[in-house]
Amino acid sequence: VKIVRSINAAYNFCRRSPTPTALVPTMGALHAGHAALIRKARRLVGHGGTVIVSLFVNPTQFGPSEDYHKYPRTARADHDLCKVLGVDIVFEPAAEMMYPPPFSTYVDEKMVSASLCGASRPGHFQGVCTVVLKLFSITGPTFAVFGLKDFQQCMVIRRMTRDLNLPIHLEFVETVREPDGLAMSSRNRFLSRAERAQAAVVHRALLAAKSAWRRGETRASRLRALLCKTIAEAPLARIDYAEVVDSDSLTPVRKADSNTVMALAVFFGGTRLIDNLWLRK
Ligand code: PAF
């Protein structure tokens, strides 16, 4: 695996690759969920293609009171995993290189990013879109691979890619879960033992609401109430949002159907976990 830290080098190695390339944008602290994205990237480009993983904790997507400084940074372990998985290029820029002062150009998607995490984390998706567009223009990939745990992020990037005519095929990969159902996330390591023991309630709540829907409950208000009731079974959990939304617009629906997604953000202490379930799946 080639570790590339400068934008010029990344530009040369990635953009000039004669074979198809697939980019997996990450903030590092890689886990089995990222490994699934990297394996998907390899399948997309084949053995002769180039798999690029970016490791960059992007400051612009964190709010002033969020965990940017605390976010896990595990470069050595990340490099080792990339090596094991046969990644060709790791792009690991410094923040000053990605945002040289004075930096004043940002990308704003204004619809899909308005609800859910966009509402509770103002500016978050502006930071995500800006860095993803920069990563796209630096590496010029044929494919880019993202995880569906961040469902809204996938939809925002899909809209940006369409609206800005970016010539990139997007691929979204199913959430990888721990045996008890907790979605894999770099932030899971911040959970205390007691919090970790209760955190699977997030997925359980989604499954409970989905089985209610399967049994014929289509009222979104009831499904939402069921999500909240199940989460309340975990005394250490505090709901940030529990929503039942349309999978395209991400706006709340009144009646749930197969295009509906249920989305949760739940705090355990200072750790915010998100998860979602698409009823059609
Ligand atoms: O999902 C993430 O890890 C980040 O939001 C991303 C897409 C790498 C942008 O910083």
Side-chain angles (χ1 to χ4, degrees):
V1 56
K2 193 172 190 59
I3 315 283
V4 172
R5 295 203 165 83
S6 92
I7 288 174
N8 274 345
Y11 205 88
N12 287 331
F13 285 119
C14 305
R15 281 204 166 257
R16 299 217 175 125
S17 163
T19 55
T21 57
L23 171 68
V24 182
T26 82
M27 299 208 296
L30 303 181
H31 50 67
H34 295 112
L37 306 184
I38 294 170
R39 290 198 184 95
K40 176 71 181 183
R42 174 57 67 198
R43 284 198 296 279
L44 287 166
V45 297
H47 283 297
T50 302
V51 172
I52 308 157
V53 172
S54 62
L55 305 176
F56 179 62
V57 186
N58 173 37
T60 63
Q61 69 189 74
F62 290 81
S65 60
E66 292 182 353
D67 57 353
Y68 172 66
H69 292 290
K70 227 184 81 190
Y71 197 83
R73 287 158 171 88
T74 59
R76 189 164 296 173
D78 293 348
H79 297 167
D80 289 347
L81 182 65
C82 286
K83 205 164 161 189
V84 168
L85 293 171
V87 170
D88 298 291
I89 298 173
V90 166
F91 176 46
E92 195 177 18
E96 312 77 63
M97 204 177 274
M98 288 295 270
Y99 297 106
F103 186 92
S104 55
T105 305
Y106 293 88
V107 183
D108 249 331
E109 189 288 323
K110 286 180 179 298
M111 281 166 86
V112 189
S113 57
S115 58
L116 307 178
C117 291
S120 53
R121 302 181 68 187
H124 170 67
F125 285 115
Q126 185 193 68
V128 169
C129 285
T130 303
V131 81
V132 168
L133 182 61
K134 283 172 70 71
L135 291 168
F136 283 178
S137 52
I138 292 165
T139 61
T142 321
F143 302 97
V145 186
F146 296 88
L148 280 166
K149 184 193 59 98
D150 300 305
F151 182 79
Q152 187 176 22
Q153 171 169 279
C154 290
M155 296 305 113
V156 170
I157 291 169
R158 185 177 74 175
R159 179 66 61 87
M160 172 183 82
T161 302
R162 192 203 72 171
D163 286 356
L164 301 183
N165 308 100
L166 307 177
I168 295 166
H169 301 284
L170 299 179
E171 289 285 336
F172 302 134
V173 174
E174 278 307 325
T175 304
V176 178
R177 299 181 181 280
E178 301 283 358
D180 67 354
L182 176 66
M184 296 260 181
S185 160
S186 304
R187 290 186 170 98
N188 290 353
R189 71 191 70 202
F190 294 138
L191 297 169
S192 70
R193 193 183 280 249
E195 289 164 350
R196 174 63 190 84
Q198 295 183 17
V201 75
V202 178
H203 185 53
R204 253 199 341 268
L206 293 165
L207 291 178
K210 184 169 179 175
S211 27
W213 177 72
R214 282 231 167 99
R215 291 194 305 270
E217 180 55 84
T218 59
R219 288 167 296 181
S221 58
R222 287 304 179 92
L223 297 174
R224 223 185 137 262
L226 188 53
L227 290 173
C228 297
K229 180 169 159 270
T230 312
I231 298 290
E233 289 166 10
L236 297 175
R238 181 169 57 83
I239 294 178
D240 178 20
Y241 64 69
E243 299 288 354
V244 179
V245 299
D246 175 71
S247 64
D248 276 322
S249 67
L250 300 195
T251 53
V253 295
R254 286 166 61 102
K255 283 235 171 287
D257 60 25
S258 58
N259 286 324
T260 298
V261 171
M262 298 182 299
L264 280 172
V266 178
F267 279 101
F268 287 85
T271 308
R272 183 174 173 278
L273 304 180
I274 59 172
D275 202 350
N276 65 80
L277 207 58
W278 196 334
L279 290 179
R280 91 167 175 216
K281 283 183 182 156

Short mmCIF file of all heavy atoms in Angstrom, two decimals, residues 50-96:
data_model
loop_
_atom_site.label_atom_id
_atom_site.label_comp_id
_atom_site.label_asym_id
_atom_site.label_seq_id
_atom_site.Cartn_x
_atom_site.Cartn_y
_atom_site.Cartn_z
N THR A 50 -7.56 0.14 -9.20
CA THR A 50 -6.89 0.82 -8.08
C THR A 50 -7.91 1.16 -7.01
O THR A 50 -8.90 1.84 -7.28
CB THR A 50 -6.23 2.12 -8.58
OG1 THR A 50 -5.31 1.77 -9.62
CG2 THR A 50 -5.48 2.84 -7.47
N VAL A 51 -7.65 0.68 -5.78
CA VAL A 51 -8.51 1.02 -4.64
C VAL A 51 -7.81 2.08 -3.80
O VAL A 51 -6.66 1.91 -3.39
CB VAL A 51 -8.83 -0.23 -3.78
CG1 VAL A 51 -9.55 0.17 -2.50
CG2 VAL A 51 -9.66 -1.22 -4.59
N ILE A 52 -8.51 3.18 -3.59
CA ILE A 52 -7.97 4.31 -2.83
C ILE A 52 -8.81 4.46 -1.56
O ILE A 52 -10.04 4.48 -1.62
CB ILE A 52 -8.10 5.63 -3.64
CG1 ILE A 52 -7.51 5.47 -5.04
CG2 ILE A 52 -7.49 6.80 -2.89
CD1 ILE A 52 -8.07 6.47 -6.05
N VAL A 53 -8.15 4.57 -0.42
CA VAL A 53 -8.86 4.86 0.84
C VAL A 53 -8.35 6.19 1.34
O VAL A 53 -7.13 6.39 1.45
CB VAL A 53 -8.58 3.75 1.89
CG1 VAL A 53 -9.15 4.15 3.26
CG2 VAL A 53 -9.20 2.43 1.44
N SER A 54 -9.26 7.13 1.61
CA SER A 54 -8.80 8.38 2.24
C SER A 54 -9.04 8.28 3.73
O SER A 54 -10.07 7.77 4.19
CB SER A 54 -9.48 9.60 1.63
OG SER A 54 -10.88 9.54 1.84
N LEU A 55 -8.05 8.73 4.50
CA LEU A 55 -8.13 8.79 5.96
C LEU A 55 -7.99 10.26 6.32
O LEU A 55 -6.91 10.83 6.21
CB LEU A 55 -6.97 8.02 6.61
CG LEU A 55 -6.73 6.55 6.24
CD1 LEU A 55 -5.47 6.02 6.93
CD2 LEU A 55 -7.93 5.70 6.63
N PHE A 56 -9.10 10.88 6.70
CA PHE A 56 -9.04 12.31 6.99
C PHE A 56 -10.17 12.68 7.93
O PHE A 56 -11.34 12.57 7.57
CB PHE A 56 -9.15 13.13 5.68
CG PHE A 56 -9.11 14.62 5.91
CD1 PHE A 56 -8.00 15.22 6.48
CD2 PHE A 56 -10.19 15.41 5.56
CE1 PHE A 56 -7.97 16.60 6.71
CE2 PHE A 56 -10.17 16.79 5.78
CZ PHE A 56 -9.05 17.38 6.35
N VAL A 57 -9.81 13.07 9.15
CA VAL A 57 -10.83 13.53 10.10
C VAL A 57 -11.13 14.97 9.71
O VAL A 57 -10.30 15.87 9.91
CB VAL A 57 -10.33 13.42 11.56
CG1 VAL A 57 -11.46 13.77 12.52
CG2 VAL A 57 -9.83 12.01 11.85
N ASN A 58 -12.29 15.15 9.11
CA ASN A 58 -12.59 16.41 8.44
C ASN A 58 -13.14 17.46 9.42
O ASN A 58 -14.28 17.35 9.86
CB ASN A 58 -13.64 16.12 7.35
CG ASN A 58 -14.15 17.38 6.71
OD1 ASN A 58 -13.40 18.33 6.51
ND2 ASN A 58 -15.45 17.39 6.39
N PRO A 59 -12.35 18.48 9.73
CA PRO A 59 -12.78 19.43 10.77
C PRO A 59 -14.08 20.15 10.43
O PRO A 59 -14.85 20.48 11.33
CB PRO A 59 -11.61 20.42 10.87
CG PRO A 59 -10.82 20.24 9.62
CD PRO A 59 -11.04 18.84 9.16
N THR A 60 -14.36 20.38 9.13
CA THR A 60 -15.51 21.23 8.80
C THR A 60 -16.86 20.53 9.01
O THR A 60 -17.89 21.18 8.94
CB THR A 60 -15.43 21.74 7.34
OG1 THR A 60 -15.48 20.61 6.46
CG2 THR A 60 -14.17 22.53 7.09
N GLN A 61 -16.86 19.22 9.26
CA GLN A 61 -18.15 18.57 9.48
C GLN A 61 -18.47 18.39 10.97
O GLN A 61 -19.47 17.79 11.31
CB GLN A 61 -18.23 17.24 8.74
CG GLN A 61 -17.35 16.13 9.25
CD GLN A 61 -17.35 14.93 8.32
OE1 GLN A 61 -16.76 14.95 7.24
NE2 GLN A 61 -18.03 13.87 8.69
N PHE A 62 -17.61 18.93 11.83
CA PHE A 62 -17.85 18.88 13.28
C PHE A 62 -18.30 20.26 13.75
O PHE A 62 -17.68 21.27 13.36
CB PHE A 62 -16.57 18.52 14.03
CG PHE A 62 -16.12 17.10 13.83
CD1 PHE A 62 -15.41 16.72 12.70
CD2 PHE A 62 -16.39 16.12 14.79
CE1 PHE A 62 -14.98 15.42 12.50
CE2 PHE A 62 -15.97 14.81 14.61
CZ PHE A 62 -15.27 14.46 13.46
N GLY A 63 -19.31 20.29 14.61
CA GLY A 63 -19.72 21.55 15.22
C GLY A 63 -18.71 21.94 16.29
O GLY A 63 -17.91 21.10 16.74
N PRO A 64 -18.76 23.21 16.75
CA PRO A 64 -17.80 23.70 17.73
C PRO A 64 -17.81 22.91 19.04
O PRO A 64 -16.78 22.76 19.69
CB PRO A 64 -18.21 25.16 17.99
CG PRO A 64 -19.41 25.41 17.16
CD PRO A 64 -19.70 24.22 16.30
N SER A 65 -18.98 22.34 19.41
CA SER A 65 -19.01 21.61 20.69
C SER A 65 -18.95 20.09 20.46
O SER A 65 -19.24 19.32 21.36
CB SER A 65 -20.27 21.97 21.46
OG SER A 65 -21.38 21.60 20.67
N GLU A 66 -18.59 19.68 19.24
CA GLU A 66 -18.56 18.24 18.94
C GLU A 66 -17.16 17.66 19.15
O GLU A 66 -16.25 18.35 19.59
CB GLU A 66 -19.10 17.99 17.54
CG GLU A 66 -20.60 18.29 17.46
CD GLU A 66 -21.20 18.01 16.09
OE1 GLU A 66 -20.44 17.70 15.14
OE2 GLU A 66 -22.42 18.10 15.98
N ASP A 67 -17.04 16.34 18.78
CA ASP A 67 -15.85 15.59 19.21
C ASP A 67 -14.68 15.55 18.21
O ASP A 67 -13.98 14.55 18.13
CB ASP A 67 -16.29 14.17 19.59
CG ASP A 67 -17.00 13.44 18.44
OD1 ASP A 67 -17.27 14.08 17.40
OD2 ASP A 67 -17.30 12.24 18.57
N TYR A 68 -14.44 16.67 17.48
CA TYR A 68 -13.35 16.65 16.49
C TYR A 68 -12.00 16.27 17.13
O TYR A 68 -11.28 15.41 16.63
CB TYR A 68 -13.23 18.01 15.79
CG TYR A 68 -12.01 18.11 14.91
CD1 TYR A 68 -11.88 17.31 13.77
CD2 TYR A 68 -10.96 18.98 15.22
CE1 TYR A 68 -10.76 17.37 12.96
CE2 TYR A 68 -9.84 19.05 14.42
CZ TYR A 68 -9.74 18.25 13.30
OH TYR A 68 -8.61 18.31 12.51
N HIS A 69 -11.69 16.91 18.26
CA HIS A 69 -10.37 16.66 18.86
C HIS A 69 -10.29 15.28 19.49
O HIS A 69 -9.23 14.68 19.56
CB HIS A 69 -10.01 17.77 19.85
CG HIS A 69 -9.78 19.07 19.14
ND1 HIS A 69 -8.68 19.29 18.33
CD2 HIS A 69 -10.55 20.18 19.04
CE1 HIS A 69 -8.76 20.49 17.80
NE2 HIS A 69 -9.88 21.05 18.20
N LYS A 70 -11.45 14.79 19.93
CA LYS A 70 -11.50 13.49 20.59
C LYS A 70 -11.66 12.33 19.60
O LYS A 70 -11.53 11.17 19.97
CB LYS A 70 -12.73 13.50 21.52
CG LYS A 70 -12.48 13.00 22.93
CD LYS A 70 -13.77 12.96 23.74
CE LYS A 70 -14.60 11.74 23.45
NZ LYS A 70 -15.94 11.71 24.00
N TYR A 71 -12.00 12.66 18.36
CA TYR A 71 -12.30 11.60 17.39
C TYR A 71 -11.12 10.63 17.31
O TYR A 71 -9.96 11.07 17.25
CB TYR A 71 -12.62 12.21 16.02
CG TYR A 71 -13.34 11.23 15.13
CD1 TYR A 71 -14.71 11.06 15.23
CD2 TYR A 71 -12.62 10.43 14.24
CE1 TYR A 71 -15.37 10.11 14.45
CE2 TYR A 71 -13.27 9.48 13.47
CZ TYR A 71 -14.64 9.33 13.57
OH TYR A 71 -15.27 8.39 12.81
N PRO A 72 -11.36 9.31 17.31
CA PRO A 72 -10.23 8.37 17.36
C PRO A 72 -9.31 8.49 16.14
O PRO A 72 -9.79 8.59 15.01
CB PRO A 72 -10.90 6.99 17.41
CG PRO A 72 -12.31 7.21 16.99
CD PRO A 72 -12.65 8.63 17.32
N ARG A 73 -8.02 8.49 16.41
CA ARG A 73 -7.04 8.53 15.32
C ARG A 73 -6.12 7.33 15.51
O ARG A 73 -5.38 7.27 16.51
CB ARG A 73 -6.28 9.85 15.34
CG ARG A 73 -7.16 11.03 14.84
CD ARG A 73 -6.64 12.35 15.34
NE ARG A 73 -7.30 13.50 14.73
CZ ARG A 73 -8.43 14.06 15.20
NH1 ARG A 73 -9.03 13.56 16.26
NH2 ARG A 73 -8.96 15.12 14.61
N THR A 74 -6.18 6.39 14.58
CA THR A 74 -5.46 5.11 14.75
C THR A 74 -4.69 4.79 13.47
O THR A 74 -4.86 3.72 12.88
CB THR A 74 -6.47 3.98 15.06
OG1 THR A 74 -7.41 3.89 13.96
CG2 THR A 74 -7.27 4.22 16.32
N ALA A 75 -3.86 5.75 13.03
CA ALA A 75 -3.23 5.66 11.71
C ALA A 75 -2.52 4.33 11.47
O ALA A 75 -2.71 3.70 10.42
CB ALA A 75 -2.28 6.83 11.52
N ARG A 76 -1.71 3.90 12.46
CA ARG A 76 -0.92 2.71 12.20
C ARG A 76 -1.81 1.49 11.95
O ARG A 76 -1.60 0.73 11.00
CB ARG A 76 0.04 2.46 13.36
CG ARG A 76 1.02 1.38 13.03
CD ARG A 76 2.19 1.36 13.95
NE ARG A 76 3.02 2.56 13.87
CZ ARG A 76 4.02 2.80 14.69
NH1 ARG A 76 4.31 1.94 15.64
NH2 ARG A 76 4.75 3.89 14.57
N ALA A 77 -2.81 1.31 12.82
CA ALA A 77 -3.73 0.17 12.64
C ALA A 77 -4.49 0.31 11.32
O ALA A 77 -4.74 -0.69 10.63
CB ALA A 77 -4.70 0.10 13.82
N ASP A 78 -4.83 1.54 10.95
CA ASP A 78 -5.54 1.75 9.68
C ASP A 78 -4.67 1.33 8.49
O ASP A 78 -5.14 0.66 7.56
CB ASP A 78 -5.95 3.22 9.52
CG ASP A 78 -6.99 3.65 10.55
OD1 ASP A 78 -7.57 2.77 11.23
OD2 ASP A 78 -7.23 4.86 10.67
N HIS A 79 -3.40 1.72 8.54
CA HIS A 79 -2.49 1.33 7.44
C HIS A 79 -2.38 -0.19 7.36
O HIS A 79 -2.40 -0.77 6.27
CB HIS A 79 -1.08 1.91 7.66
CG HIS A 79 -1.06 3.40 7.66
ND1 HIS A 79 0.01 4.13 8.10
CD2 HIS A 79 -1.99 4.32 7.27
CE1 HIS A 79 -0.26 5.42 7.99
NE2 HIS A 79 -1.47 5.56 7.49
N ASP A 80 -2.27 -0.83 8.54
CA ASP A 80 -2.13 -2.29 8.55
C ASP A 80 -3.35 -2.95 7.92
O ASP A 80 -3.23 -3.86 7.10
CB ASP A 80 -1.97 -2.81 10.00
CG ASP A 80 -0.61 -2.43 10.56
OD1 ASP A 80 0.27 -2.01 9.78
OD2 ASP A 80 -0.44 -2.54 11.79
N LEU A 81 -4.55 -2.47 8.30
CA LEU A 81 -5.76 -3.08 7.74
C LEU A 81 -5.81 -2.85 6.22
O LEU A 81 -6.16 -3.76 5.46
CB LEU A 81 -7.02 -2.49 8.42
CG LEU A 81 -8.32 -3.11 7.93
CD1 LEU A 81 -8.41 -4.59 8.31
CD2 LEU A 81 -9.55 -2.37 8.50
N CYS A 82 -5.43 -1.65 5.79
CA CYS A 82 -5.46 -1.36 4.35
C CYS A 82 -4.51 -2.31 3.61
O CYS A 82 -4.82 -2.79 2.51
CB CYS A 82 -5.08 0.10 4.09
SG CYS A 82 -6.41 1.22 4.55
N LYS A 83 -3.38 -2.57 4.23
CA LYS A 83 -2.40 -3.48 3.62
C LYS A 83 -3.01 -4.87 3.49
O LYS A 83 -2.97 -5.48 2.42
CB LYS A 83 -1.17 -3.53 4.53
CG LYS A 83 0.09 -3.90 3.84
CD LYS A 83 1.24 -3.52 4.75
CE LYS A 83 2.49 -4.26 4.34
NZ LYS A 83 3.54 -4.05 5.33
N VAL A 84 -3.59 -5.35 4.60
CA VAL A 84 -4.18 -6.70 4.59
C VAL A 84 -5.27 -6.80 3.51
O VAL A 84 -5.42 -7.83 2.85
CB VAL A 84 -4.78 -7.01 5.99
CG1 VAL A 84 -5.65 -8.26 5.96
CG2 VAL A 84 -3.68 -7.15 7.02
N LEU A 85 -6.02 -5.70 3.33
CA LEU A 85 -7.14 -5.75 2.39
C LEU A 85 -6.71 -5.43 0.95
O LEU A 85 -7.54 -5.35 0.06
CB LEU A 85 -8.23 -4.77 2.83
CG LEU A 85 -8.94 -5.14 4.15
CD1 LEU A 85 -9.84 -4.01 4.61
CD2 LEU A 85 -9.73 -6.43 3.99
N GLY A 86 -5.42 -5.22 0.74
CA GLY A 86 -4.92 -5.01 -0.62
C GLY A 86 -5.26 -3.65 -1.20
O GLY A 86 -5.37 -3.48 -2.42
N VAL A 87 -5.40 -2.65 -0.32
CA VAL A 87 -5.63 -1.27 -0.80
C VAL A 87 -4.39 -0.81 -1.55
O VAL A 87 -3.26 -1.12 -1.15
CB VAL A 87 -5.92 -0.34 0.40
CG1 VAL A 87 -5.94 1.12 -0.01
CG2 VAL A 87 -7.25 -0.74 1.06
N ASP A 88 -4.57 -0.09 -2.65
CA ASP A 88 -3.41 0.37 -3.42
C ASP A 88 -2.86 1.68 -2.88
O ASP A 88 -1.65 1.84 -2.74
CB ASP A 88 -3.81 0.53 -4.90
CG ASP A 88 -4.25 -0.79 -5.49
OD1 ASP A 88 -3.39 -1.67 -5.66
OD2 ASP A 88 -5.47 -0.97 -5.72
N ILE A 89 -3.77 2.63 -2.60
CA ILE A 89 -3.31 3.96 -2.18
C ILE A 89 -4.10 4.42 -0.96
O ILE A 89 -5.34 4.34 -0.95
CB ILE A 89 -3.50 4.99 -3.33
CG1 ILE A 89 -2.67 4.59 -4.54
CG2 ILE A 89 -3.15 6.41 -2.87
CD1 ILE A 89 -2.91 5.42 -5.77
N VAL A 90 -3.38 4.85 0.07
CA VAL A 90 -4.02 5.51 1.21
C VAL A 90 -3.70 7.00 1.08
O VAL A 90 -2.53 7.38 1.00
CB VAL A 90 -3.49 4.97 2.55
CG1 VAL A 90 -3.88 5.88 3.70
CG2 VAL A 90 -4.01 3.56 2.79
N PHE A 91 -4.73 7.82 1.02
CA PHE A 91 -4.54 9.27 0.94
C PHE A 91 -4.85 9.86 2.30
O PHE A 91 -5.97 9.72 2.80
CB PHE A 91 -5.46 9.85 -0.14
CG PHE A 91 -5.41 11.35 -0.23
CD1 PHE A 91 -4.19 12.03 -0.24
CD2 PHE A 91 -6.58 12.10 -0.31
CE1 PHE A 91 -4.14 13.42 -0.32
CE2 PHE A 91 -6.54 13.48 -0.40
CZ PHE A 91 -5.32 14.14 -0.40
N GLU A 92 -3.83 10.48 2.90
CA GLU A 92 -3.95 10.91 4.29
C GLU A 92 -3.43 12.35 4.41
O GLU A 92 -2.32 12.59 4.88
CB GLU A 92 -3.08 9.95 5.13
CG GLU A 92 -3.31 9.99 6.58
CD GLU A 92 -2.43 8.93 7.25
OE1 GLU A 92 -1.45 8.45 6.64
OE2 GLU A 92 -2.72 8.59 8.38
N PRO A 93 -4.23 13.30 3.97
CA PRO A 93 -3.74 14.69 3.98
C PRO A 93 -3.84 15.32 5.36
O PRO A 93 -4.62 14.87 6.20
CB PRO A 93 -4.72 15.39 3.02
CG PRO A 93 -6.00 14.62 3.18
CD PRO A 93 -5.62 13.19 3.47
N ALA A 94 -3.07 16.37 5.58
CA ALA A 94 -3.20 17.16 6.82
C ALA A 94 -4.32 18.17 6.62
O ALA A 94 -4.62 18.57 5.48
CB ALA A 94 -1.89 17.88 7.10
N ALA A 95 -4.91 18.60 7.73
CA ALA A 95 -6.04 19.53 7.64
C ALA A 95 -5.63 20.84 6.95
O ALA A 95 -6.38 21.39 6.15
CB ALA A 95 -6.60 19.81 9.04
N GLU A 96 -4.41 21.31 7.24
CA GLU A 96 -3.98 22.59 6.63
C GLU A 96 -3.84 22.46 5.12
O GLU A 96 -3.90 23.45 4.39
CB GLU A 96 -2.62 23.05 7.19
CG GLU A 96 -2.46 23.01 8.70
CD GLU A 96 -2.22 21.61 9.22
OE1 GLU A 96 -1.19 21.03 8.87
OE2 GLU A 96 -3.08 21.09 9.97
#
